[in-house]
Amino acid sequence: MSSEWKREMSAVTDEAFLSTERTLWPFADKPFHELAAWLNLELMKNAAEIGYCRFLYGVHKK
């Protein structure tokens, strides 16, 4: 999945990153790079939360 994301983001031109064409509510009138940055942040945060939950599960299982 991450390889797909990297491939797709690598294909986006600088002009497309600065464009507002790909952004809809709630990112309307914002450049696409803001949406991509927000999405990356959310994915990292969710992965960290899942990792922490797995850690807590492992600690309580012993």
Side-chain angles (χ1 to χ4, degrees):
M1 183 143 177
S2 67
S3 60
E4 291 176 45
W5 175 249
K6 289 176 188 176
R7 184 182 66 244
E8 292 297 324
M9 289 297 101
S10 296
V12 177
T13 65
D14 290 344
E15 292 80 23
F17 270 119
L18 296 173
S19 172
T20 59
E21 279 183 35
R22 296 176 177 225
T23 54
L24 303 173
W25 183 91
F27 288 93
D29 301 323
K30 297 213 183 248
F32 180 65
H33 71 85
E34 289 187 24
L35 172 62
W38 172 81
L39 182 57
N40 278 331
L41 178 68
E42 286 296 313
L43 290 171
M44 287 185 293
K45 182 184 70 139
N46 291 343
E49 290 171 350
I50 291 168
Y52 187 64
C53 289
R54 291 183 64 172
F55 170 77
L56 289 176
Y57 178 77
V59 168
H60 289 291
K61 192 175 178 182
K62 291 181 180 181

